Amino acid sequence: MFGLVGISWTSMWSPVTLAAFVAMALIYLYITGPGRARFADSTPVPAAKKAWFVGGLAFLYVAFGSPIDLLGHMMFTFHMISMSFAYLVAAPMLLAGTPEWLLRPIGRIPGIKGLKFLVNPIFTLLFFNVAFSIYHVPLVHDFVMLNFAVHTSYYVLLMIAALLMWFPVICPVSSLDKLEGVRKMGYIFANSVLLTPACALIIFSGSAMYVTYTDPMMWATAMGYCVPQGATALLEMFSGPQALGWMDALVDQRTGGVLMKIFQEIVYGSILVYVFRQWYRKENPKSKTDDDSLDPTPAYLEMLRAQSEPAK
């Protein structure tokens, strides 16, 4: 499959990762279903809201447990697809599927109020974009890819940063939902701008920057963390990261940067349009049509509406 001849299906589909995400989904469905009575002031969670959370876990599995993750070690293009699925799609879906009453106990933890800066829009804006940009500095990226513990830790850090970045936009806690209207639109636009330098560096570089996608030995070392064969066996099976032969390293790098930017613009642009429509309708209530069937809002944006409406 995908030209990965000789790679076992367990390496391509990672059943351990799948089992972990299935377990998370089952725990979530139990807590928001039969186990809801254990939480004070809990309310029923709509099926649509549950679907957003489970869907977010599905996208995380595709990003980190499917062949896309393995191919991300061979082609930079798939690496960026994986990043887009995890941090631009899965993260907001997980927040949209989280009921407010599930997060209330966190607010009662002693000393937690001193950490409110973690959801401050300025902090969340900088945290994700700086962490993402630093990761794609060639020296940092290659170091992370060649050290398994650092790789895992940094990916967890990026996931936390992505959840915090989306928090002011899709805020599941009403008391912390401080951004409205123009300020929220400005926040989304700023996210788009801050990610541009990293993408520009990748797209307009005159040469392939990452040795893990150009040096066969470095690639085999990084790849060895994903498959049981080991670096030596991988070099016997494949000539190097360009074994798939789809495109050369520089074109692959530029394609990955372009795809990331396109993905980002589609997601941020769609949500920006939705937020603008909501703000405009609030400021001009008479302009709202009575026929909701004419509302062309994309299904992806309905997660914002679903998470903001109290369950009946």
Side-chain angles (χ1 to χ4, degrees), residues 141-203:
H141 179 274
D142 291 332
F143 177 78
V144 171
M145 293 290 283
L146 292 170
N147 295 272
F148 181 74
V150 177
H151 180 272
T152 302
S153 300
Y154 207 104
Y155 270 47
V156 171
L157 176 70
L158 281 175
M159 192 65 212
I160 294 173
L163 289 170
L164 291 175
M165 181 271 287
W166 282 106
F167 196 88
V169 180
I170 309 170
C171 187
V173 182
S174 56
S175 62
L176 297 176
D177 192 5
K178 304 299 184 181
L179 289 184
E180 291 186 2
V182 176
R183 293 175 65 195
K184 185 171 288 190
M185 286 185 278
Y187 177 84
I188 298 168
F189 179 75
N191 267 291
S192 176
V193 171
L194 287 177
L195 203 62
T196 299
C199 291
L201 173 69
I202 293 166
I203 296 169

Side-chain angles (χ1 to χ4, degrees), residues 220-238:
T221 301
M223 188 79 165
Y225 295 126
C226 301
V227 296
Q229 283 89 341
T232 303
L234 282 169
L235 287 175
E236 293 177 355
M237 295 167 59
F238 303 97

Side-chain angles (χ1 to χ4, degrees), residues 106-126:
I106 298 177
R108 293 193 285 268
I109 297 176
I112 198 68
K113 291 184 178 180
L115 299 177
K116 274 192 175 182
F117 73 92
L118 291 175
V119 293
N120 180 283
I122 296 177
F123 175 82
T124 60
L125 180 73
L126 295 175

Side-chain angles (χ1 to χ4, degrees), residues 3 30 38 51 59 62 74 76 135 187 259:
Y30 172 77
R38 298 175 180 270
F59 269 104
V62 171
M74 300 188 75
F76 190 78
Y135 174 63
Y187 177 84
L259 284 179

